[in-house]
Amino acid sequence: MIDIEKLTALAIAYDAGDAKRIQHFIKVYAYSRLLGRREGLDEQKQNVLEAAAVLHDIGIHEAERKHGSSGGHWQEMEGPAVAAPMLQQCGADERESERVQWLIAHHHTYTAGEEKDFRILLEADSLSTPTRTA
């Protein structure tokens, strides 16, 4: 099992000084936790979903550094490599780490799958993203 508290602390440290991004991933985590439990995910799928929620945008800083953009495609490309060592530090086994990394690598690709954990992550991210008004 992945230690979500430790993972959250690592993600907060990684995003230090960026309150907007920290607040966003905390909201995505909260929605994912609620929705996953409501949908009856088993303990392991729930744990992986929660880890993915915490780390879903972890590639933004690298995307901005390497590509000058925080666009979804770049987040998906850069996020898994940033997430992998954090997941290892928090007790993820290989299968758990691979699934979290896949979720990160597809969280802006809405047609990538129909698995419950994936759809919940997309929904939680959508609910947590402020809508712009004119």
Side-chain angles (χ1 to χ4, degrees):
M1 289 293 256
I2 302 165
D3 183 337
I4 300 299
E5 288 181 24
K6 183 175 181 180
L7 187 64
T8 302
L10 289 173
I12 289 170
Y14 185 83
D15 281 338
D18 196 342
K20 183 178 176 181
R21 290 200 178 121
I22 294 168
Q23 290 166 2
H24 172 68
F25 82 69
I26 293 294
K27 288 178 193 176
V28 174
Y29 163 74
Y31 280 126
S32 292
R33 183 174 169 88
L34 290 168
L35 293 169
R37 288 180 174 208
R38 186 76 178 150
E39 288 293 319
L41 294 183
D42 67 44
E43 188 177 359
Q44 183 175 18
K45 281 191 183 284
Q46 182 71 32
N47 180 253
V48 167
L49 170 62
E50 291 177 15
V54 169
L55 297 179
H56 77 284
D57 282 344
I58 203 72
I60 288 177
H61 293 298
E62 279 300 295
E64 290 173 336
R65 186 179 71 75
K66 289 182 177 178
H67 309 286
S69 171
S70 64
H73 169 74
W74 302 120
Q75 291 177 39
E76 290 179 333
M77 182 184 297
E78 301 300 336
V82 177
M86 291 181 182
L87 290 163
Q88 185 176 27
Q89 289 178 44
C90 295
D93 65 27
E94 186 176 340
R95 190 170 58 100
E96 291 165 335
S97 183
E98 286 175 4
R99 182 62 180 165
V100 172
Q101 290 179 62
W102 186 92
L103 290 166
I104 293 167
H106 295 87
H107 81 278
H108 284 284
T109 307
Y110 305 114
T111 58
E114 291 299 323
E115 299 88 353
K116 273 189 183 182
D117 59 347
F118 178 62
R119 303 314 299 179
I120 290 169
L121 180 61
L122 296 180
E123 182 69 18
D125 194 19
S126 176
L127 288 168
S128 303
T129 302
T131 56
R132 296 179 187 193
T133 57

